Amino acid sequence: MPVRLMFSFDDGFKTDISLAKLFEKYGFKATFFVTAGKVDKGSAWLSREDVYWLSEVHEVASHSLTHRPLTLLPWGLVVRELRDSRILLEDIIGERIIGFSYPYGLFNDNIKKHVREAGYLYARTTNAYWIGVNGFVGDPYSLRVTLPLYPLKLVGSIWDVVNKLRPTFLRAYLSMYSSDVGDLFANMIKRGYMNTFSFIKNVILILLERSRYDKKSYVVSLWGHSWEIMLDREAKLGFEDLLAFISSLKRDIEVLTIREVVERAGRVKMDEFEGAGGS
C-alpha cells in the first residue's frame, strides 16, 4: 500500500466507544491508550466492559496508571505506573499489552529504558511532523506522530494560511528527504484547506501522488483525544468525512493499529521480549 495510516487516541474516556463505532462503520480500527487507574472510576471514563469491548476489534494499550508526568516521578513510582497499568489492562482484556504512550508526551532516555524493562514493545510520543518511508518507524520507544487530530480551524488570509502551514509541512516534507518544498507549498495553496481534517486529506493526496512518482510507501500517524471529536458536532461531522474520504481510497490506503505497523516494520520481534516484565 502506498500509504499506511495509524490512528491513536489517549486517556480512556467514555467517548472512545462512540469513536470506535465510527471507525468500525468504515471497516477501520485504531489504537486506544487507556489510563488504567481511571477505568471504572466514573461515567466519564471507560468501564472494564468497555475496555474489553474495544480490544475485540481495536488495539488497547497503556497510557500509564494515573496519567502523571513520568519525568517528574521518582524511579519507584515510574515502575509502578508502567508495570501496574500493563498488568491491570491485561487482566481486563486477557491478552498481552505491548504499547504505551507517554502522559503529556514527556519522556527521556531513562524513561524509555524503564518502558522496555516493563515489557512494552513500543511507546508513542506526541512529537509531530514525522512521516515514515517504506515502513520505517524509527526507534520503537519514541514513535513520533505526523499531525494531531485537534478540530482546529485554519482560516484567514492566504498569508495566514501559509504561515500556519509552513512549520507543519516543511518539517513533515523534509522528513521524506525531499528538496521540493516549493512544489509542496504550491500544491497545498492550490488545493486550499479550512480545518485540520481537510488539512490531513491534503497530506494523504500529496503522499499518494508522491508514491506514484517515487514508488515508495509512506506511514502517517494521527493522534488525538476522542472527546475533542465526539463532543463537538462540527468536529464529528468533519472527522467522519475524513474517514469516508479514506474509505474511498481503500485501494491505496491501509488503516492499521500501531502494533501492526511496528510488527510489520520488523523493528521489534515478539520473541525477543518473551517474558520481559512478565506479570
Side-chain angles (χ1 to χ4, degrees):
M1 288 288 181
V3 176
R4 292 189 171 93
L5 290 178
M6 301 182 284
F7 287 90
S8 60
F9 301 91
D10 287 355
D11 292 347
F13 283 106
K14 197 78 168 182
T15 44
D16 285 357
I17 296 298
S18 51
L19 183 63
K21 290 178 179 178
L22 192 57
F23 270 87
E24 292 174 27
K25 176 180 176 179
Y26 292 92
F28 299 147
K29 50 191 170 182
T31 298
F32 291 89
F33 291 100
V34 177
T35 307
K38 301 293 187 181
V39 174
D40 269 341
K41 296 300 182 184
S43 59
W45 300 97
L46 294 172
S47 67
R48 289 177 63 92
E49 291 76 15
D50 292 332
V51 174
Y52 181 80
W53 179 86
L54 280 174
S55 72
E56 291 187 298
V57 172
H58 308 273
E59 179 187 10
V60 170
S62 171
H63 196 38
S64 82
L65 188 66
T66 64
H67 203 280
R68 287 183 286 181
L70 300 182
T71 53
L72 302 181
L73 298 180
W75 175 81
L77 285 181
V78 170
V79 172
R80 179 172 177 263
E81 290 283 332
L82 297 169
R83 181 197 61 208
D84 290 4
S85 61
R86 181 180 58 77
I87 293 172
L88 200 161
L89 292 172
E90 287 177 345
D91 180 64
I92 294 173
I93 70 172
E95 61 183 63
R96 188 175 181 188
I97 297 292
I98 71 162
F100 185 81
S101 69
Y102 299 105
Y104 306 104
L106 297 174
F107 69 101
N108 54 36
D109 287 342
N110 195 42
I111 298 298
K112 285 166 56 177
K113 179 174 73 74
H114 288 310
V115 169
R116 176 168 179 150
E117 290 175 350
Y120 297 98
L121 304 190
Y122 76 81
R124 199 219 68 215
T125 73
T126 56
N127 295 340
Y129 316 127
W130 168 88
I131 293 174
V133 181
N134 288 337
F136 180 70
V137 297
D139 178 3
Y141 293 98
S142 55
L143 296 178
R144 297 178 60 189
V145 297
T146 307
L147 287 170
L149 285 165
Y150 302 143
L152 173 67
K153 293 182 180 179
L154 300 168
V155 295
S157 72
I158 187 62
W159 292 113
D160 289 336
V161 170
V162 170
N163 287 333
K164 289 172 181 174
L165 179 153
R166 189 181 305 275
T168 300
F169 279 93
L170 179 59
R171 296 179 201 180
Y173 210 67
L174 288 177
S175 76
M176 293 188 287
Y177 308 103
S178 171
S179 59
D180 302 327
V181 177
D183 290 341
L184 171 76
F185 287 121
N187 287 336
M188 291 297 293
I189 292 169
K190 183 165 58 178
R191 288 194 177 94
Y193 68 92
M194 292 185 62
N195 58 47
T196 303
F197 303 136
S198 55
F199 201 33
I200 291 168
K201 288 182 186 179
N202 287 329
V203 177
I204 292 170
L205 289 173
I206 285 174
L207 292 177
L208 288 175
E209 287 178 5
R210 187 152 189 86
S211 178
R212 287 191 285 270
Y213 169 76
D214 61 18
K215 307 304 180 185
K216 294 178 181 177
S217 62
Y218 295 97
V219 181
V220 171
S221 178
L222 303 171
W223 152 80
H225 302 89
S226 62
W227 61 268
E228 292 180 301
I229 296 170
M230 303 310 293
L231 297 183
D232 182 311
R233 182 177 180 276
E234 187 176 346
K236 180 181 176 182
L237 291 173
F239 186 71
E240 181 164 10
D241 181 65
L242 172 63
L243 294 181
F245 166 79
I246 294 167
S247 181
S248 72
L249 298 170
K250 275 186 176 178
R251 287 196 309 169
D252 299 311
I253 296 177
E254 191 173 16
V255 179
L256 302 169
T257 65
I258 297 180
R259 175 176 187 155
E260 289 172 327
V261 170
V262 169
E263 289 177 350
R264 289 189 185 193
R267 300 294 297 170
V268 180
K269 296 188 183 299
M270 299 289 288
D271 56 356
E272 285 183 36
F273 294 89
E274 282 303 318
S279 54

